[in-house]
Amino acid sequence: MPLIIELQGHREEAALSDAARAFFGDFKDLGQGRFEVPADRDFTVLSEVCPPISNEEVRRASRKGASDRFVTVGTRVLEGGKEGISEKVPLHEVRRVLKRQLYHVLSRESGISFPWGTLTGVRPTRIALDLILAKGEDQARRELEDYWYLSPEKADLAVRTARAEEDILSSFQPGDCLLYAGLPFCPSRCLYCSFITQDAGRQEDSLESYVSAVIREAGGILTGDFSGRIRAVYFGGGTPTSLPAGLFRRYLEGVMSRVPDYEGLEKTMEAGRPDTIDREKLTIIREFGFNKLCINPQTMNEATLKRIGRGHTARETVDAFRLARSEGFTDINMDLIAGLPGEDAADFLDSLDQLLALGPESITLHTLAVKKGSYLDRLFTDRDALMPDPELIGAVGEAHGHLLREGYRPYYLYKQKNCRSGLENTGFTRRKPSLYNVGMMSDQVPVVGLGSGSSSKAILEETACRIHNPKDLMLYRDRVEEQILKKRELLSDFFTKAD
């Protein structure tokens, strides 16, 4: 049975689709401002703006972040005479309010509520920070609960994290940027992974040509006339440490020789798969001055590791961590994923206890996202698994409490589509937070992206302008020079304006 959403006076279907998909999944365009969503009964929701507005008007106001023009936004169910919602709002707030109103109506009609309420976007802390700056932390928490429908726990997390992110972002100066180097090879592909990753063991012929292409790209962008100041470098993937040691050294040297070094430059190596870490590679990582290391087990449950295709054991995670400590790494992050197939709350919390016993400086808690293109997506048929699960929500909340008691504090947060229970990914640290993580997720700091599938972005007129490298390895290798020219133009434009 369909739910019909009718738009009058606007065409902001992108904002409404986020809210509708959280409850019902699909969002089908019927034309003429009407959309169909699968539901358990027939009803029609009217979403209207008066006087009518165009997408371009809303887009310009949203980018500016302010508007003197006010419109009336309303949402109501046409059947049954139920009371609707109507608000007079400035033009730059229209998208947020349309989404908020539709969430309220669908939550009332379905009886379902998500921990983050109507904040379904990637960066919910942006709204939290706006409220903090305008009204203070206590009022921000109340408004997040009462107006945006967050649970008390998520409202508090949003306020805490928004403050931490803002403190970090305030350290960036005009002309500062980030550098990302991506290597799309892993020992195996995990069940939940949607990245275009290749099996490094079966792609030996491709590894060297790929590394050469990345080095060529770095040399074409990070030239003598590159005027940006790189504040943080992140080698990710994939798993960079899946390269053979000799090629791994060449990869690091080829890129890092182009990066001006200075005291305080953050350098992070994602050695996510413990089964790719050995003393030789750790020595190479230290030689190039990397001061942050990621060792990401995702779970410490042996049965789950096999189920999701990780190809390593919990013991190997412990051994890799201790080896890294013995090699002098004093700032290590470890990742866990809540809601993995076959795991319950006790399994997840046991994994956290095992990581806490090791004592890494940072722990990032992710929630399982069913991503298009992953093996999990092909197997996934039960949409109810994305609906709010009290056990999973409680386990994540308990994990947060445990981390806080152990001296860890949230410093960055983001959400993804199709996350179980509508939950979030949160980085916790008890030492120095990651500049790269916060800057990358903020869309306030420009990024130079190297490697297949990577994105580069400049911030122009408060908007992130992006250039994406091809995901296909052959296309990437063939188009390196073309991408270099595009990025030089984009980044030159930004740095000219920043100066």
Side-chain angles (χ1 to χ4, degrees):
M1 290 181 283
L3 152 67
I4 302 298
I5 300 175
E6 293 186 0
L7 281 58
Q8 288 188 8
H10 73 92
R11 286 295 182 267
E12 293 296 332
E13 57 263 24
L16 299 182
S17 68
D18 282 346
R21 286 191 175 106
F23 291 90
F24 303 114
D26 294 330
F27 193 83
K28 181 180 179 181
D29 188 352
L30 301 177
Q32 297 184 329
R34 299 177 77 248
F35 297 84
E36 180 180 287
V37 180
D40 57 3
R41 63 184 178 85
D42 294 338
F43 65 105
T44 303
V45 174
L46 177 64
S47 172
E48 57 185 337
V49 175
C50 187
I53 55 174
S54 70
N55 283 15
E56 183 57 32
E57 288 176 304
V58 176
R59 188 178 298 111
R60 285 199 304 265
S62 298
R63 287 180 176 177
K64 188 176 179 182
S67 176
D68 295 330
R69 181 182 172 189
F70 282 74
V71 295
T72 299
V73 178
T75 306
R76 58 193 171 95
V77 177
L78 296 184
E79 300 86 359
K82 293 182 180 179
E83 184 178 356
I85 312 170
S86 182
E87 304 169 70
K88 194 171 184 178
V89 301
L91 195 58
H92 68 282
E93 292 287 346
V94 163
R95 287 174 174 167
R96 288 178 175 178
V97 173
L98 284 168
K99 186 194 297 188
R100 188 194 72 83
Q101 290 185 357
L102 182 61
Y103 174 90
H104 172 80
V105 168
L106 296 183
S107 180
R108 183 187 67 192
E109 295 299 313
S110 67
I112 297 170
S113 60
F114 289 87
W116 284 94
T118 187
L119 301 190
T120 60
V122 175
R123 293 175 291 275
T125 51
R126 291 181 65 175
I127 289 179
L129 181 63
D130 290 344
L131 293 171
I132 292 168
L133 296 177
K135 304 177 181 182
E137 292 188 10
D138 290 342
Q139 183 59 30
R141 287 184 177 89
R142 286 192 290 271
E143 197 159 319
L144 287 168
E145 292 179 44
D146 298 339
Y147 186 78
W148 298 101
Y149 310 120
L150 274 67
S151 71
E153 295 78 13
K154 298 310 177 190
D156 182 67
L157 176 62
V159 169
R160 284 174 179 262
T161 312
R163 273 295 192 197
E165 289 176 347
E166 181 62 12
D167 287 345
I168 296 163
L169 289 170
S170 66
S171 72
F172 285 94
Q173 302 298 318
D176 286 353
C177 63
L178 309 171
L179 176 67
Y180 174 81
L183 185 124
F185 297 93
C186 282
S188 63
R189 186 174 177 184
C190 300
L191 186 70
Y192 51 77
C193 183
S194 64
F195 292 128
I196 309 298
T197 50
Q198 309 289 324
D199 184 338
R202 298 179 182 178
Q203 299 284 336
E204 289 186 13
D205 293 342
S206 299
L207 297 178
E208 188 148 357
S209 62
Y210 179 82
V211 166
S212 296
V214 176
I215 293 172
R216 199 163 72 248
E217 186 180 17
I221 297 170
L222 304 176
T223 60
D225 59 353
F226 179 79
S227 57
R229 181 173 182 255
I230 298 173
R231 290 286 307 280
V233 176
Y234 193 100
F235 275 65
T239 307
T241 45
S242 62
L243 290 174
L247 189 56
F248 183 58
R249 174 183 290 278
R250 178 172 168 244
Y251 180 45
L252 268 59
E253 184 172 14
V255 175
M256 295 306 297
S257 63
R258 299 287 184 174
V259 179
D261 204 356
Y262 62 90
E263 187 176 354
L265 175 61
E266 179 183 283
K267 301 178 185 179
T268 304
M269 176 60 65
E270 186 175 325
R273 291 285 292 263
D275 46 333
T276 67
I277 298 172
D278 59 30
R279 193 177 299 277
E280 183 178 10
K281 290 176 188 174
L282 290 172
T283 300
I284 295 170
I285 295 168
R286 290 288 291 169
E287 181 182 328
F288 285 94
F290 282 78
N291 41 38
K292 287 181 177 288
L293 185 70
C294 299
I295 302 173
N296 304 326
Q298 314 303 357
T299 179
M300 297 295 279
N301 183 288
E302 299 290 358
T304 308
L305 287 169
K306 293 179 182 178
R307 188 179 302 118
I308 63 177
R310 289 291 286 179
H312 65 83
T313 65
R315 180 74 247 175
E316 285 178 290
T317 297
V318 174
D319 290 344
F321 181 89
R322 290 176 175 166
L323 180 61
R325 278 286 195 247
S326 73
E327 289 296 310
F329 288 91
T330 59
D331 196 344
I332 299 176
N333 173 79
M334 304 185 83
D335 285 5
L336 287 179
I337 299 177
L340 286 169
E343 284 205 348
D344 59 17
D347 294 324
F348 171 64
L349 293 170
D350 177 67
S351 290
L352 178 60
D353 286 341
Q354 292 188 56
L355 295 200
L356 287 169
L358 293 172
E361 285 63 41
S362 300
I363 294 178
T364 304
L365 297 184
H366 296 268
T367 307
L368 181 67
V370 181
K371 301 175 183 177
K372 289 184 179 180
S374 67
Y375 294 140
L376 183 62
D377 182 42
R378 301 173 196 173
L379 301 172
F380 189 78
T381 57
D382 183 11
R383 181 158 184 88
D384 288 344
L386 297 180
M387 292 296 103
D389 176 354
E391 181 183 4
L392 179 60
I393 294 169
V396 171
E398 188 174 340
H400 286 197
H402 198 170
L403 285 163
L404 290 171
R405 289 190 296 273
E406 293 294 322
Y408 293 85
R409 294 292 179 266
Y411 75 92
Y412 92 113
L413 181 156
Y414 66 99
K415 296 178 82 262
Q416 293 173 285
K417 290 182 179 179
N418 288 337
C419 260
R420 290 199 58 191
S421 294
L423 289 168
E424 73 289 332
N425 307 315
T426 309
F428 289 81
T429 189
R430 58 181 182 183
R431 197 180 174 190
K432 188 176 181 180
S434 167
L435 284 175
Y436 178 86
N437 286 342
V438 176
M440 168 59 79
M441 293 309 305
S442 71
D443 265 1
Q444 297 180 41
V445 183
V447 179
V448 179
L450 307 176
S452 70
S454 70
S455 297
S456 297
K457 62 183 174 184
I459 316 303
L460 302 170
E461 298 179 354
E462 300 185 3
T463 301
C465 301
R466 292 177 169 85
I467 292 175
H468 304 285
N469 277 351
K471 293 181 179 180
D472 180 87
L473 295 184
M474 290 185 66
L475 278 178
Y476 166 68
R477 290 195 297 261
D478 292 344
R479 295 181 182 177
V480 164
E481 278 70 26
E482 176 185 333
Q483 294 299 103
I484 288 171
L485 293 176
K486 290 179 180 179
K487 293 178 187 181
R488 284 179 64 89
E489 182 178 356
L490 175 72
L491 297 169
S492 173
D493 186 40
F494 170 79
F495 291 122
T496 298
K497 292 185 177 183
D499 290 341

